[in-house]
Amino acid sequence: MKQRYVRAFRLVLPVCGLLLWAGLQGPALAASTRAAQKTAAEAERAELRQKLNALKNDISKTETAKDQASDALAVSEQAISEANRSLRDLQGEQAETQTKLTRLTEEQNRLQLQVETQKKQLSEFLRRQYMRGSSDRIKLLLSGDNPNRINRDLQYMGYVSQTQAKMIDSLHASLQAVTKNTEEAQDAKEELDEIAQEERQHKTALETEKKRRATLLAQLADKLHNQKKQADDLQKDEQRLGTLVTRLNKLIEEQIKAEQARAAMLEKQRQEKLAQQKAAREKALANQGKKPGKAPNPADAIDADEPPAKPIARNELTPVPGTNNGEFSRLKGQLRLPVKGELIARFGSRRADGPSWKGLFIRAAEGAEVKAIATGKVVFAQWLKGFGNMIIVDHGSEYISIYGNNQAVLKHVGDIVKTGDTIASAGNSGGNEESGLYFEIRYRGQVQDPMTWVGK
């Protein structure tokens, strides 16, 4: 930077001396000196232009690389979304398996208790049978007692034998159930361990994708920032030299055509005076109503509002499960915003680069839960250029809600969601500088102001 100022000073300083020399030595010598000075300035200007063009070519190559990196970044962000969705599915499977393992353990304990009870009953039954002896039937037949009584006793002994057989079969079945239950419990435990291992692998992959993405963004941002700053500095240097060359041209032309310039100036002044007099007369006639004047027709001014440096409002309320299940058109004024955070941009406000906001942007921490504002069906759930990982929910009657810039979308196309369901996690995908959520509501394709749908 210091060298550029020195070059500019070296060029400007001779101009000051040139003016003094011209006053002393005359127009011819001054014109010759200025012509030499102009040639030197133009040579340096050409050199700067050459450097600037080379740098612009480098910037163009960097921007091409950035576009290619953006495509890679899209793949990375999609991978992050898929990893998050897989983690969520794995957590559900893990919870189900843990519930199953708990149930099987309780069943095993119950069966073990039942086996112990049956063992005691069978032991007691066998003990009684042993005490009575095994020849009861023969003794009854040979006792010479009343035949009717003998028949009753024989039937009673048959019932006792059947009961004994049933108890033995029941004990055998219970023991088999205990064995099967133990095997199922072990299988469930092994399945749970596999799920936990898979979950850890997904977490590792997710962290790797995050680091790769952060490194890629930082490298591209630094390189483009440095190149554009250097190009801006060269552009300013070239403009300074251009201004100096223009001044030198004017000085040379003034020296060569001094008389012509003075004559032209006098003529110009005369014409300007005549024009002023004519304008004054026309104005006086217009004020007297003799000559109608033209009405002004200014263009409509459009304020290009910069995004507010401070948040507009803070949202702490998110959709409550079990509500907003009716027809969507009747929910106006009853909805809640889908994520907790700071409202940075409102619907209809102008962006710094021109277009108006078609929805809201809510600044939120990366990974914050994004909830469905009402019951509906997922019709879009993937990455879209400019909006990153985006999910769209159809609420029926041609109403849809749009959630963009997510770190991950957690639902699939065709999924039915209810009010308050977590459908995504907030992020800065799609090239957004801040972490948060871009949110829209549309009816028949036309944007709606989301704040008119939100309850007070």
Side-chain angles (χ1 to χ4, degrees), residues 140 146-157:
L140 284 173
N146 187 338
N148 292 330
R149 181 179 178 183
I150 292 173
N151 185 47
R152 287 196 302 270
D153 290 342
L154 288 174
Q155 288 181 353
Y156 171 75
M157 293 181 69

Side-chain angles (χ1 to χ4, degrees), residues 222-260:
D222 290 343
K223 186 174 182 179
L224 278 177
H225 175 74
N226 293 334
Q227 286 183 327
K228 288 183 177 180
K229 184 178 183 300
Q230 186 179 358
D232 183 63
D233 292 340
L234 288 175
Q235 187 73 37
K236 289 179 180 178
D237 290 346
E238 197 274 338
Q239 289 175 354
R240 292 189 189 97
L241 280 176
T243 301
L244 181 58
V245 170
T246 302
R247 290 178 60 189
L248 289 171
N249 284 334
K250 289 177 65 177
L251 288 172
I252 294 172
E253 186 178 355
E254 288 173 1
Q255 288 295 326
I256 295 175
K257 300 180 179 179
E259 294 299 328
Q260 292 86 340

Side-chain angles (χ1 to χ4, degrees), residues 368-382:
E369 292 187 339
V370 177
K371 301 182 180 295
I373 60 172
T375 299
K377 180 178 181 181
V378 177
V379 294
F380 185 92
Q382 63 184 26

Side-chain angles (χ1 to χ4, degrees), residues 95-153:
E96 292 176 0
T97 306
Q98 184 63 46
T99 301
K100 179 180 178 181
L101 183 58
T102 302
R103 179 178 58 79
L104 289 175
T105 302
E106 293 173 353
E107 180 69 13
Q108 185 177 14
N109 293 335
R110 186 187 67 79
L111 289 174
Q112 289 285 6
L113 181 61
Q114 182 178 346
V115 167
E116 294 298 325
T117 301
Q118 290 177 340
K119 284 182 178 179
K120 290 179 181 179
Q121 291 176 349
L122 182 58
S123 176
E124 180 63 21
F125 180 82
L126 294 175
R127 187 185 66 80
R128 290 179 181 177
Q129 288 292 96
Y130 177 80
M131 296 297 295
R132 293 180 62 181
S134 60
S135 59
D136 289 345
R137 293 177 182 270
I138 299 175
K139 287 180 180 180
L140 284 173
L141 291 173
L142 299 177
S143 66
D145 201 352
N146 187 338
N148 292 330
R149 181 179 178 183
I150 292 173
N151 185 47
R152 287 196 302 270
D153 290 342

Side-chain angles (χ1 to χ4, degrees), residues 172-347:
H172 184 264
S174 296
L175 290 173
Q176 288 180 337
V178 169
T179 301
K180 181 179 179 182
N181 182 72
T182 303
E183 293 175 353
E184 291 180 354
Q186 183 62 32
D187 292 341
K189 184 177 182 302
E190 292 175 357
E191 183 180 358
L192 188 62
D193 292 340
E194 290 177 359
I195 291 174
Q197 178 64 24
E198 189 176 353
E199 184 175 356
R200 286 191 291 270
Q201 292 175 354
H202 275 281
K203 284 184 179 180
T204 302
L206 179 59
E207 293 299 328
T208 301
E209 288 294 336
K210 281 186 176 180
K211 291 178 181 179
R212 188 169 74 87
R213 173 184 172 221
T215 302
L216 184 62
L217 284 174
Q219 290 174 348
L220 288 173
D222 290 343
K223 186 174 182 179
L224 278 177
H225 175 74
N226 293 334
Q227 286 183 327
K228 288 183 177 180
K229 184 178 183 300
Q230 186 179 358
D232 183 63
D233 292 340
L234 288 175
Q235 187 73 37
K236 289 179 180 178
D237 290 346
E238 197 274 338
Q239 289 175 354
R240 292 189 189 97
L241 280 176
T243 301
L244 181 58
V245 170
T246 302
R247 290 178 60 189
L248 289 171
N249 284 334
K250 289 177 65 177
L251 288 172
I252 294 172
E253 186 178 355
E254 288 173 1
Q255 288 295 326
I256 295 175
K257 300 180 179 179
E259 294 299 328
Q260 292 86 340
R262 282 195 295 271
M265 182 63 68
L266 292 174
E267 180 63 19
K268 181 179 179 181
Q269 291 175 351
R270 188 179 70 83
Q271 293 295 335
E272 288 177 351
K273 185 175 181 180
L274 291 174
Q276 290 174 356
Q277 292 173 351
K278 182 178 180 182
R281 288 195 299 270
E282 289 177 350
K283 184 176 180 181
L285 291 174
N287 291 335
Q288 294 174 5
K290 295 181 180 180
K291 183 177 180 180
K294 295 182 179 179
N297 185 25
D300 293 335
I302 300 177
D303 294 330
D305 297 333
E306 293 288 340
K310 296 182 179 180
I312 301 171
R314 174 81 188 180
N315 179 60
E316 294 292 345
L317 301 177
T318 55
V320 178
T323 61
N324 301 343
N325 294 324
E327 186 176 346
F328 191 84
S329 60
R330 297 181 180 178
L331 300 177
K332 199 165 189 177
Q334 304 176 31
L335 302 180
R336 292 184 175 182
L337 294 178
V339 68
K340 294 182 180 181
E342 298 174 341
L343 184 60
I344 298 302
R346 285 184 178 272
F347 172 87

Side-chain angles (χ1 to χ4, degrees), residues 409-430:
V409 292
L410 304 178
K411 298 294 181 180
H412 301 271
V413 173
D415 287 351
I416 301 299
V417 297
K418 296 181 180 180
T419 306
D421 284 355
T422 301
I423 59 176
S425 57
N428 62 343
S429 61

